[in-house]
Amino acid sequence: MMSENSKPPPMTKESMDHIAAKVTAIKLAKDREAKTRYDINQNGDSRNIGNNSEHLSTRGDSEATSDAASVETASAASGDSEDSLSLQEKSLLQKIVRTKLINNKHDIEILRRDPSSPLHSVKSFEALHLKPELLKGVYAMGFNTPSKIQETAVPTLLANPPQNMIAQSQSGTGKTAAFVLAMLSRVDPSLNYTQALCLSPTYELAVQTGEVVAKMSSYCPDIVIKYALRGEENPKGTEHIVIGTPGKVTDWGLKYKLIKLSKLTVFILDEADVMIATQGHQEQSIRIRKALSKDCQMMLFSATYDQEVMEFAEMMVPNPVIIKLRREEESLDNIKQYYVKCMSLEAKYKAMANIYGMCTVGQAIVFCQTKKNASWLCEELTRDGHAVALLIGDLTVEQRITILDRFREGKHRVLITTNVLARGIDIEQVTMVVNFDLPVDRFRQADCETYLHRIGRTGRFGKTGIAINLIDSSESMDIMRQIERHFGVRIELLDADSDDLDKLENYV
Ligand SMILES: Nc1ncnc2c1ncn2[C@@H]1O[C@H](COP(=O)(O)OP(=O)(O)OP(=O)(O)O)[C@@H](O)[C@H]1O
């Protein structure tokens, strides 16, 4: 990891090996635990908490308190169907698979602001009057113009007197880059003490942020960065920027007083929604926050904006400007939906193999209802010489990252998965979604919301996508009809043995 007076090295997949080993051990332990369904949220998500924690990091001292809330889809049709991904993992995978900014057509909403501090937005990075070496770093990252959230957030964060901010926008809209830019602009490298602190919920997320700081500051050699993470040597207190988890920062800042929290000029709490889902982090963050001076600029970022996040945010950040970018809704508008009638499992498999053959340019995600079905399908297709990848919840974080990376790079054209991938994780180039099994709820009724999330993986950003549903029984036909009625759409019949598939080739 990073030593003092140096920038963090780029995070390679190899360097995550040791994390993966620990995560595997944690997962194995977790799998032995009985899961307890404790909450059904508004979206119909059900959350499970295992008694054993599933964290991405292994902590010592104050870090050792966190449990992870793992989010599961509501579709528990059979005992082996459950497949889960913790909020922390989801957030990390999301960052890893994303290569581009998410376009968002909505306008920024400004929910609260002090009328005495006018807000303005910028359409270029030049208009921010950044230090030249910082501007060079921004351009070196390939950023030409500010993203929607950056247009408003960055000038507000750079204005004087410093203004506190709570900002919410979906993952991938440029929040990290916004606060890193603010942090680097505010730091004065001629002052030898810690001036900026960024709290992240996990080891890996902190490292991801550190990478952005390192890249953006690549032309600012005097800025010293330090990770506050397990395994790191104690800080000297002279590092300009510290990025870490609440546990380690509590130790360094409050317990051993190695960092002077009262001297910070910038404090960032990132991924607030993930933070509050991690037991212990909320309380530690509050303790850290209390040690800051009233002049310290405070910023809080979150991908979601429910009441719990908001209550926490307002407790942490006094007199904030609150900016919000509404989530780009998933819609079925750009998606052509079909179904293929299959008389047996064999026929269903054959249809799948034909569809595979058709997918020559684009990429497809195939959804199965259970891990068992997904594994079976993957084995069969592989045996028949098809290059497919399998992504299910049993894998380690490291394995998931590797698989998603390979898929994103186009090394696999077809990814077989369960509902683990249905929500939240965007892979830009997916042109086709196949529902090998239709999504059902625990009463074996159509799970329309999961259907939308699944097929919303395709047809994004104005492109046309295809969804194909494999129907092998009167029950699945009935479920499909429920979906049609729910969305007021017609799902067209497709003959997978005929030339019908050819007409789809324009899209895949
Ligand atoms: N102005 C920009 N122009 C082009 N690309 C950008 C710009 N800002 C950020 N990006 C890129 O877009 C992707 C998402 O940005 P970023 O990680 O800052 O989003 P985020 O909202 O912080 O996401 P998350 O909530 O997952 O952390 C990254 O690959 C980043 O390099």
Side-chain angles (χ1 to χ4, degrees):
M1 291 289 328
M2 187 167 58
S3 64
E4 285 177 44
N5 300 320
S6 68
K7 298 284 163 56
M11 183 71 175
T12 63
K13 303 294 173 292
E14 286 74 24
S15 67
M16 292 181 81
D17 278 354
H18 64 292
I19 302 168
K22 287 187 173 127
V23 172
T24 312
I26 291 162
K27 266 201 89 59
L28 286 173
K30 176 187 171 256
D31 287 346
R32 285 196 292 271
E33 293 287 331
K35 291 174 175 177
T36 315
R37 188 172 294 268
Y38 83 100
D39 171 36
I40 307 269
N41 71 17
Q42 276 182 332
N43 295 326
D45 282 347
S46 55
R47 294 178 176 206
N48 284 349
I49 290 189
N51 292 336
N52 211 336
S53 46
E54 182 189 23
H55 6 250
L56 295 183
S57 53
T58 305
R59 283 146 285 190
D61 291 359
S62 315
E63 294 180 286
T65 50
S66 304
D67 268 9
S70 69
V71 176
E72 289 187 357
T73 64
S75 313
S78 68
D80 62 350
S81 69
E82 296 291 332
D83 219 359
S84 66
L85 203 59
S86 73
L87 277 178
Q88 292 96 323
E89 279 178 276
K90 193 163 148 183
S91 193
L92 179 67
L93 289 182
Q94 185 73 81
K95 274 183 197 288
I96 303 240
V97 294
R98 171 154 316 104
T99 48
K100 285 191 230 126
L101 197 63
I102 295 247
N103 285 321
N104 191 307
K105 293 193 285 292
H106 297 302
D107 287 330
I108 293 276
E109 291 169 55
I110 297 160
L111 299 181
R112 203 175 304 168
R113 67 173 156 145
D114 176 356
S116 65
S117 60
L119 285 185
H120 66 287
S121 73
V122 292
K123 294 285 177 202
S124 75
F125 286 112
E126 278 89 356
L128 291 168
H129 307 294
L130 299 168
K131 292 179 247 183
E133 57 277 19
L134 195 49
L135 188 62
K136 221 168 149 188
V138 169
Y139 285 137
M141 291 179 82
F143 300 176
N144 297 323
T145 50
S147 70
K148 203 53 130 338
I149 192 101
Q150 290 162 2
E151 282 179 6
T152 307
V154 182
T156 309
L157 290 173
L158 298 186
N160 281 317
Q163 171 73 62
N164 292 345
M165 177 178 282
I166 295 173
Q168 176 272 332
S169 70
Q170 88 190 76
S171 176
T173 45
K175 298 186 294 298
T176 307
F179 72 71
V180 169
L181 194 52
M183 189 154 72
L184 289 170
S185 300
R186 293 262 181 219
V187 160
D188 178 351
S190 69
L191 303 173
N192 286 328
Y193 59 87
T194 302
Q195 298 158 51
L197 169 67
C198 173
L199 290 186
S200 289
T202 68
Y203 182 109
E204 297 83 353
L205 290 168
V207 172
Q208 293 283 320
T209 302
E211 277 186 50
V212 179
V213 178
K215 272 193 216 147
M216 207 176 271
S217 66
S218 51
Y219 297 95
C220 313
D222 298 335
I223 296 183
V224 182
I225 308 157
K226 174 85 180 157
Y227 282 125
L229 295 173
R230 80 185 133 75
E232 281 293 322
E233 281 174 19
N234 282 344
K236 282 188 179 151
T238 52
E239 301 85 353
H240 302 113
I241 296 177
V242 172
I243 304 151
T245 48
K248 198 65 171 181
V249 172
T250 301
D251 286 343
W252 286 0
L254 297 173
K255 202 164 165 188
Y256 304 116
K257 310 247 187 283
L258 301 171
I259 309 170
K260 286 207 171 55
L261 295 175
S262 59
K263 290 188 86 175
L264 291 175
T265 44
V266 180
F267 171 72
I268 295 152
L269 195 140
D270 191 22
E271 310 249 4
D273 45 354
V274 182
M275 199 71 101
I276 60 171
T278 313
Q279 212 183 65
H281 277 11
Q282 190 162 346
E283 185 251 334
Q284 286 167 337
S285 305
I286 294 168
R287 287 181 59 211
I288 293 164
R289 151 76 183 80
K290 281 188 180 154
L292 308 177
S293 90
K294 66 172 179 24
D295 299 328
C296 177
Q297 184 178 23
M298 299 176 201
M299 317 170 192
L300 180 143
F301 294 84
S302 178
T304 58
Y305 193 80
D306 61 25
Q307 204 188 334
E308 202 188 355
V309 176
M310 212 44 219
E311 277 170 15
F312 175 61
E314 298 210 26
M315 181 168 58
M316 293 293 286
V317 182
N319 306 319
V321 169
I322 303 175
I323 63 174
K324 189 178 168 191
L325 184 59
R326 249 190 315 139
R327 206 189 154 80
E328 200 65 60
E329 297 303 327
E330 277 159 336
S331 102
L332 301 180
D333 294 351
N334 294 325
I335 302 166
K336 291 190 172 291
Q337 299 171 70
Y338 298 97
Y339 73 96
V340 178
K341 251 189 185 162
C342 312
M343 303 310 285
S344 60
L345 185 61
E346 209 178 18
K348 207 171 167 187
Y349 175 76
K350 196 165 161 247
M352 189 57 241
N354 288 347
I355 291 168
Y356 178 92
M358 185 183 91
C359 193
T360 49
V361 182
Q363 286 182 296
I365 297 187
V366 181
F367 284 102
C368 295
Q369 186 69 6
T370 66
K371 287 187 264 189
K372 203 166 136 199
N373 284 4
S375 307
W376 171 82
L377 183 62
C378 180
E379 271 168 38
E380 293 295 313
L381 285 168
T382 307
R383 190 174 307 148
D384 286 344
H386 302 307
V388 293
L390 175 69
L391 193 123
I392 51 176
D394 288 347
L395 304 176
T396 63
V397 172
E398 172 76 358
Q399 287 167 325
R400 286 181 197 163
I401 291 169
T402 307
I403 290 169
L404 281 172
D405 257 353
R406 289 177 63 80
F407 186 65
R408 193 173 42 75
E409 289 161 9
K411 290 186 178 137
H412 291 295
R413 280 184 285 121
V414 173
L415 182 68
I416 300 171
T417 189
T418 59
N419 288 331
V420 133
L421 262 200
R423 283 163 201 258
I425 295 184
D426 306 318
I427 302 172
E428 290 121 12
Q429 66 272 40
V430 172
T431 44
M432 179 161 64
V433 167
V434 179
N435 283 316
F436 192 79
D437 302 312
L438 284 174
V440 289
D441 62 19
R442 76 188 80 161
F443 307 109
R444 300 206 64 84
Q445 297 299 304
D447 180 350
C448 295
E449 201 171 333
T450 298
Y451 181 82
L452 175 65
H453 287 304
R454 281 184 182 186
I455 81 169
R457 304 296 89 215
T458 184
R460 298 177 81 78
F461 312 127
K463 289 189 236 154
T464 307
I466 301 177
I468 302 180
N469 300 295
L470 303 186
I471 304 298
D472 63 350
S473 62
S474 55
E475 191 197 353
S476 55
M477 181 61 95
D478 193 41
I479 290 163
M480 194 189 80
R481 297 293 179 217
Q482 288 174 33
I483 291 170
E484 281 186 319
R485 280 196 297 278
H486 181 89
F487 292 108
V489 294
R490 203 175 130 60
I491 304 179
E492 279 177 47
L493 177 66
L494 195 71
D495 182 350
D497 291 324
S498 76
D499 295 340
D500 265 12
L501 286 184
D502 295 345
K503 67 185 177 198
L504 304 184
E505 283 189 348
N506 292 337
Y507 300 112
V508 290

